[in-house]
Amino acid sequence: MRDQTFIIVGAGQAGAMAAATLRQQQFDGDIILIGKEYHAPYERPILSKEYLMNPEEEPKYLFSEDFYLKNRIDLRMGQPVSRIIPAEHCVVLEDGNKLRYDKLLLAMGARAKRFPLLDQLGENVYTLRTLDDAQRLRQAVKEGKRVLIVGGGVIGLELAATSCEMGANVTVIEQADNIMGRCAPPLLQDYLLNRHQEKGVQFFLDINIVSAQRQENELVLILNTGEEVIGDIIIYGIGAEFRDKLAADAGLVTNGGIVIDSCCQTSEPDIFAAGDVCLQKEPITGDLQRRETWENANRQATIAAHAMMGLKPPQPSVPWFWTDQWGINIQMVGKMQAEEWHIQGDLQSDKAILLGTENEVLVGAVAINQGREMRNLRKLLSNPMAIEV
């Protein structure tokens, strides 16, 4: 494979890990890693936590500058791709230059879903997706500031905890009647809601924003209940928009994301995709699944790199992700929509394991400040079995 060129579009977690995996697997051809941002690939999970909280905290880059040089990875940052031409096996950069590929990996990720009603307010309205977003938020969240967080998902709650710890007064507004509704079982939702409220976070659940106004230096949100919520800054996280336009324009099959098979191959045989931008077909049901997690980006990057080289990909692992809020580490593995949930330990002491079962078979688990148990839980879930709880 010495004479081959593999191009990776997207220099986030998935793209950078795919490039590293190719070299680990002895691919000896050219690797070109192209990123839209000007920053070298960096870790995103810390952006809503320690990076935001500590002014002295530096970005956590995935690899050193030397890594790319030593591994002959041509890292091209700040060079967006404008077009893919599958028939010519090339990508076109915004400056018009064409780069030819033998295999192409698309790992463009996602952007924050926009909320025009809030965007029209102008200054002091933020989202958090990139390092640049986090740097702007660092300057905005200060002690005594009234922070309105719109969206009660994982990022919204992490930002609520971090902002409070920075001395801000925090209010969370969520359209659903619960928090973290897409990814957490009810027991965990209730537990986290109680912890946030104990720390002083105010919640408006099952609420819609019908109007948003700027009154001098204050931001005013009018709710469907008629109540007004006033803040100094707004941070919203209402979902993501997946960067699949390049793929769609090139004729690849998309469906609100790039559709890939179990080997991360798209509808074009020499084009692969990995990370948040993907919808993956489940091998048995054929259903399309999206997993926007750090672990999934790494897993799909590894699978894609193997497949691009014609190697047998590693076995898929049980889905796993985590969140840190108020110094509490919560790790989740397997199916979070299990029919029944059981507690081992004591939630009040912030140290417990939640086990999710269906027909007495373990299908999901949550470890609260019990990270050492996660390896065993993942092993149990890789071979589902009946358990006694």
Side-chain angles (χ1 to χ4, degrees):
M1 291 191 171
R2 174 77 183 171
D3 298 325
Q4 289 195 324
T5 297
F6 286 3
I7 293 179
I8 301 170
V9 180
Q13 188 80 32
M17 292 306 296
T21 303
L22 287 170
R23 288 296 185 231
Q24 289 168 2
Q25 296 302 315
Q26 309 304 312
F27 175 70
D28 202 30
D30 293 331
I31 299 175
I32 304 174
L33 178 57
I34 303 172
K36 187 174 184 179
E37 294 184 57
Y38 285 92
H39 307 287
Y42 56 87
E43 292 273 13
R44 295 182 189 273
I46 69 167
L47 298 183
S48 58
K49 299 180 278 289
E50 52 262 47
Y51 182 79
L52 188 60
M53 192 181 301
N54 302 320
E56 305 304 317
E57 185 82 17
E58 294 293 328
K60 187 176 180 182
Y61 293 103
L62 294 177
F63 303 107
S64 66
E65 290 182 22
D66 288 349
F67 175 85
Y68 301 100
L69 293 172
K70 289 177 181 176
N71 287 279
R72 295 189 298 108
I73 297 170
D74 184 357
L75 182 60
R76 304 190 184 190
M77 302 307 298
Q79 295 190 27
V81 172
S82 63
R83 196 153 53 104
I84 303 166
I85 309 176
E88 298 180 19
H89 273 62
C90 77
V91 299
V92 183
L93 303 180
E94 271 195 356
D95 62 10
N97 283 329
K98 285 185 178 181
L99 300 174
R100 192 186 181 284
Y101 64 83
D102 292 285
K103 304 288 185 185
L104 174 65
L105 176 63
L106 303 178
M108 294 87 69
R111 66 175 68 85
K113 185 178 181 180
R114 305 313 305 183
F115 196 157
L117 180 67
L118 301 182
D119 289 340
Q120 56 87 25
L121 293 172
E123 292 182 357
N124 299 323
V125 176
Y126 303 88
T127 59
L128 178 60
R129 192 83 197 182
T130 68
L131 179 57
D132 289 338
D133 293 337
Q135 289 171 344
R136 286 189 287 268
L137 267 178
R138 259 185 175 178
Q139 305 303 314
V141 180
K142 303 290 183 184
E143 185 173 357
K145 290 285 186 180
R146 295 167 296 178
V147 177
L148 307 182
I149 295 179
V150 178
V154 174
I155 293 297
L157 293 185
E158 288 181 352
L159 285 169
T162 301
S163 298
C164 259
E165 290 178 307
M166 295 171 70
N169 300 306
V170 178
T171 300
V172 175
I173 302 165
E174 168 57 48
Q175 189 175 26
D177 60 3
N178 51 32
I179 57 173
M180 282 176 57
R182 287 196 308 141
C183 61
L187 272 174
L188 183 59
Q189 293 171 15
D190 293 344
Y191 162 77
L192 283 173
L193 180 62
N194 289 335
R195 283 291 173 270
H196 279 269
Q197 289 175 327
E198 288 170 359
K199 298 291 187 177
V201 180
Q202 184 179 8
F203 283 84
F204 289 88
L205 301 178
D206 197 15
I207 291 291
N208 288 311
I209 300 169
V210 296
S211 178
Q213 303 170 4
R214 179 180 291 277
Q215 296 178 3
E216 296 183 352
N217 293 323
E218 296 183 328
L219 303 174
V220 182
L221 301 182
I222 295 89
L223 310 180
N224 61 332
T225 58
E227 296 169 279
E228 292 187 354
V229 185
I230 301 172
D232 301 302
I233 70 172
I234 294 172
I235 313 170
Y236 71 83
I238 57 170
E241 294 174 347
F242 303 96
R243 299 181 184 273
D244 63 351
K245 188 175 186 303
L246 270 178
D249 289 348
L252 276 63
V253 175
T254 61
N255 187 5
I258 304 171
V259 177
I260 58 173
D261 65 14
S262 58
C263 292
C264 294
Q265 190 175 47
T266 72
S267 54
E268 277 287 329
D270 290 329
I271 302 180
F272 299 78
D276 288 357
V277 75
C278 296
L279 288 164
Q280 191 164 41
K281 285 185 179 179
E282 292 298 306
I284 298 175
T285 65
D287 294 340
L288 294 176
Q289 298 284 338
R290 187 195 309 283
R291 295 190 175 99
E292 302 164 53
T293 66
W294 178 93
E295 182 266 349
N296 185 64
N298 285 343
R299 181 180 65 85
Q300 288 185 340
T302 301
I303 291 171
H306 280 74
M308 291 165 77
M309 293 178 64
L311 302 176
K312 183 180 179 180
Q315 288 294 313
S317 57
V318 182
W320 163 77
F321 65 103
W322 81 92
T323 178
D324 293 300
Q325 299 172 33
W326 300 112
I328 303 167
N329 174 252
I330 300 166
Q331 299 190 42
M332 291 160 270
V333 61
K335 187 176 180 181
M336 292 296 104
Q337 294 76 36
E339 293 171 357
E340 295 186 72
W341 285 89
H342 316 271
I343 301 173
Q344 291 187 349
D346 180 17
L347 282 173
Q348 293 307 309
S349 68
D350 299 326
K351 198 167 186 178
I353 292 176
L354 310 181
L355 300 175
T357 60
E358 292 182 353
N359 298 319
E360 299 184 353
V361 174
L362 181 67
V363 295
V366 178
I368 301 172
N369 282 335
Q370 295 274 42
R372 290 182 179 179
E373 301 297 326
M374 188 48 59
R375 176 179 288 185
N376 188 45
L377 290 169
R378 294 177 77 172
K379 187 181 295 185
L380 287 172
L381 284 160
S382 64
N383 295 291
M385 63 182 70
I387 60 168
E388 291 184 14
V389 292

